[in-house]
Amino acid sequence: MTEIEIPRPTSGDVVELIIEDHRLFESLLRDLRDATADREAAREALSNVLIAHGEAEETEVYPKLKSKRAISEDEKEHGEEEHAEGNEALLALLECKGTDTQKFDDAVEKLAEALNHHIGEEEQTILNPARTEVSEDVREDLGVKWATMRNRLIEDGCGSVENVRAIVRKAEKEGLLPADDEDDDSES
């Protein structure tokens, strides 16, 4: 397996840093769909960067944007719910035994659907207000805090199947996801 190098910015406008990660997610999803790519390396890289990205947003970015009144409590909670849905889809992908099965391809598409939906909504309803309602200094400060946490989590291997499983269980307990015994086929 070839390791995929994940960019590790240390500063910048948090909006731009988050958008750069969104483009990285899209690139890694393309690799996961490509039978000639190193799908295992892409899966590992996406898992690490996706978990680190979301955890850093929920800890460093969303609360600050809410306190600055750039986003509402509902928008913050909705972003967290979408992270939980993406993490649940990521867990299904991580639990696939191989990368050359229909189950794997289906899991990639389910994750892509969740991620693409979240990226579109986040860029419109969270990042646009951050651009217009939050000063450049605050966005730069948030960029450092977000990047520092994100990079630390990546270094710690936050995308392991065990960690993702624990994050999904926590989201279920917090009511961000339906519990396993609830109907998984229901649309939200």
Side-chain angles (χ1 to χ4, degrees), residues 68-112:
K68 292 286 185 182
R69 298 196 168 141
I71 63 171
S72 69
E73 179 64 26
D74 286 345
E75 289 163 331
K76 176 183 169 288
E77 287 176 8
H78 186 68
E80 292 169 353
E81 288 168 0
E82 288 189 347
H83 285 168
E85 291 167 7
N87 293 343
E88 185 176 48
L90 174 63
L91 180 58
L93 180 69
L94 292 174
E95 289 177 336
C96 291
K97 297 297 180 214
T99 61
D100 59 350
T101 65
Q102 188 62 48
K103 181 179 178 181
F104 178 86
D105 290 344
D106 292 346
V108 167
E109 288 315 306
K110 187 166 184 172
L111 177 58

Side-chain angles (χ1 to χ4, degrees), residues 133-148:
E133 305 297 321
V134 178
S135 73
E136 185 177 335
D137 287 346
V138 170
R139 292 193 318 268
E140 293 286 331
D141 181 57
L142 275 175
V144 169
K145 289 176 179 170
W146 177 84
T148 300

Side-chain angles (χ1 to χ4, degrees), residues 18 21-30 32-33 42-43 45-47 49-51 53-54 57 79 81-90 93 107-123:
I18 288 171
D21 262 8
H22 289 174
R23 301 300 79 89
L24 177 59
F25 298 160
E26 293 163 350
S27 174
L28 291 168
L29 284 168
R30 281 191 297 277
L32 288 169
R33 289 181 176 119
R43 175 166 59 174
L46 181 59
S47 184
V49 74
L50 183 60
I51 293 297
H53 173 101
E57 278 182 344
E81 288 168 0
E82 288 189 347
H83 285 168
E85 291 167 7
N87 293 343
E88 185 176 48
L90 174 63
L93 180 69
V108 167
E109 288 315 306
K110 187 166 184 172
L111 177 58
E113 184 179 310
L115 273 182
N116 289 330
H117 173 82
H118 175 66
I119 288 169
E121 274 195 8
E122 184 173 70
E123 289 182 6

